[in-house]
Structures are given as structure tokens and as C-alpha cells.
Amino acid sequence: MIDSVEISFYSSCIYFICVTFQLSRDYANKSFESERLNHKLLQLNKSLDNKVLERTQTVNELNRKLELQVRTDALTGSFNRHALNHEIQKRYEQALAQHHSLAFFMIDVDYFKNYNDYYGHLKGDDILKNLVQALNKILPKNAFFARYGGEEFAIILSGIPLENVHAVANQCLMQVRRKMWEHANRPDHKSIVTISIGAAVMDEQYVYSNLYDLMKIADQQLYQAKNHRDSVSIHSYRD
């Protein structure tokens, strides 16, 4: 007969061996499952990062479009008065700091009320939109073109010699004339749409004491140009 103590010992060994194998298998399974879950978590984190990046880019793009919309005139697509006020202040300060020239144009469509009365406001809107498209094609790259209000527009030119200011203004007149937009309700002898331009220029030799004076002088020059219509009146330090 086999000693019962010996049987008990071997039985215990076998039991511990089986338990050890079971624990090892469970540990291996849990390690594999843990590794699988970690891998899945990394994939989810990566996917989340990509989604966050996409959302951030989308938000930034929407903000950019919203900012542009706030600065853009809904009818003509040019910059609006809000954008103009910000830009002229910035360029005026730059001109003072860097001692370069600054020109401010005021533009008015001649007899525009007569045009609207005769052709209707929808045709008048078309004239304003076409005017913006036509002038944008010839303005210098650094020009800032904005709708001031109604049929009035404004142009800012930085770092440009006085002679070039006159040239740009006359090019604007000629560009509108060449379009030959009919205007049969003018009280003068002309029968096409034209514009009048008033401008003020400053540089290192003559600096306006404040931005308001620069814009006021340009507005006064516009009224002088409108006395003749289809003309330019520019005030500078040489005048």
C-alpha cells in the first residue's frame, strides 16, 4: 500500500502545478486583452486627435469667413466702412512711423440719384457692383478699396509718389469712361456713367496733424471735383 502522506504530497504538487498553469494562462489572456485594449485606446486617441484637429481647422475657417463677412460690403463685395476705418487708422500710423506717403481718395458716382430715378435701384446696384469690379482691375496691389456709403467709395494708397497719385486717379476716370455705361438722365451734355474723385496726400514733407484732417480734406476735394463732374481734385503739400 502507498503511504497516504506521500499521496497527499504528490496530489498537492499536481494541484499546485495545475493552478499555476491556470493562473499563467489567465495572466497571458489578460495580458493579451490588455495589450489589445491599449492598442484600441491608442487608435481611439489618434482618431480623437484627428477629429479635434479637423474641428479646429473648421472653426478657424468659419472664423476667417465670418471676419471677412464683417469687413465686406454685401452688395459690391468690396471692403465696407468698418474695414476702411480700421485700415486708414493703421496706415496713417505706419506712414507717421515710417515717414512714407499716404493718399486717401474719395470717389462719387456722378448724378447717381438721377440714374436710379430713371433706370431703377436694381440697375443702380448693378452699376455699383460693376464699378468695383472695373476699378479693382487697375488699382495697385497695395491699394485698399472700400465702399464708403451709398454711391461713395474710398481708396487708400501707401508709399506712392504724388505723380503716381494723379496717374491712378486719372486711370480710374478713364476706366469708368471706357465701360460706356449708359446714363440718359444726366442734366449735363454727357450720356454715360462717370465718377468724380477728391484726394488728399501727405508725406514726410507735409503731415496732417490727425487722421480726421486728412479725410476731411479729401472730402472737400471731392466736392470741388463734383462741381465739374468726371474730374479729379487732389490736395497735397505742393498745392
Side-chain angles (χ1 to χ4, degrees):
M1 295 182 63
I2 303 176
D3 188 352
S4 60
V5 174
E6 189 174 342
I7 292 175
S8 176
F9 172 76
Y10 287 119
S11 297
S12 297
C13 289
I14 294 172
Y15 172 76
F16 285 125
I17 291 173
C18 291
V19 169
T20 302
F21 277 122
Q22 182 65 38
L23 291 175
S24 298
R25 187 181 68 176
D26 291 344
Y27 178 79
N29 288 337
K30 289 183 180 299
S31 297
F32 176 78
E33 180 66 14
S34 177
E35 184 177 351
R36 186 183 68 82
L37 291 175
N38 285 335
H39 180 69
K40 187 175 181 179
L41 181 61
L42 289 174
Q43 288 181 323
L44 289 174
N45 286 336
K46 184 176 181 181
S47 176
L48 181 61
D49 289 341
N50 290 335
K51 288 182 179 180
V52 170
L53 180 60
E54 290 175 2
R55 293 290 175 85
T56 301
Q57 291 174 341
T58 300
V59 170
N60 290 338
E61 180 65 17
L62 289 175
N63 286 337
R64 187 190 67 79
K65 289 181 178 179
L66 180 60
E67 181 182 358
L68 183 61
Q69 184 177 1
V70 171
R71 291 163 48 85
T72 302
D73 176 60
L75 175 64
T76 63
S78 65
F79 289 108
N80 58 21
R81 181 72 174 272
H82 171 75
L84 174 67
N85 291 340
H86 179 270
E87 187 70 17
I88 187 65
Q89 180 68 44
K90 183 182 72 173
R91 296 208 185 191
Y92 176 76
E93 293 173 358
Q94 288 176 346
L96 293 179
Q98 300 173 12
H99 305 290
H100 63 60
S101 65
L102 180 68
F104 183 67
F105 289 22
M106 290 290 296
I107 300 174
D108 184 80
V109 181
D110 296 329
Y111 300 111
F112 189 68
K113 183 181 183 304
N114 298 57
Y115 187 95
N116 278 337
D117 291 343
Y118 189 81
Y119 294 96
H121 288 276
L122 292 180
K123 291 289 291 184
D125 289 346
D126 288 339
I127 286 295
L128 297 181
K129 289 186 284 188
N130 292 334
L131 175 68
V132 168
Q133 293 176 4
L135 295 186
N136 271 329
K137 291 180 180 179
I138 64 166
L139 289 174
K141 290 184 177 180
N142 74 332
F144 188 90
F145 186 29
R147 187 180 182 188
Y148 193 80
E151 71 274 20
E152 290 189 342
F153 295 85
I155 299 173
I156 309 171
L157 294 173
S158 302
I160 180 171
L162 180 61
E163 294 76 12
N164 291 7
V165 172
H166 283 273
V168 171
N170 286 308
Q171 286 171 9
C172 289
L173 292 188
M174 291 300 301
Q175 177 75 342
V176 176
R177 291 172 191 161
R178 282 194 292 264
K179 294 301 179 179
M180 299 294 290
W181 294 316
E182 181 186 79
H183 190 342
N185 195 35
R186 294 178 62 129
D188 59 8
H189 64 283
K190 296 181 180 180
S191 60
I192 60 173
V193 173
T194 59
I195 58 175
S196 297
I197 301 175
V201 184
M202 75 176 207
D203 64 6
E204 67 276 3
Q205 298 184 47
Y206 183 87
V207 178
Y208 286 90
S209 58
N210 56 68
L211 182 57
Y212 173 78
D213 287 343
L214 173 70
M215 299 178 72
K216 182 179 71 174
I217 293 298
D219 192 49
Q220 292 173 354
Q221 295 301 307
L222 175 60
Y223 275 98
Q224 289 191 26
K226 287 171 66 174
N227 288 333
H228 305 283
R229 310 285 176 166
D230 191 22
S231 64
V232 174
S233 180
I234 298 177
H235 180 271
S236 70
Y237 66 90
R238 297 183 188 179
D239 297 329

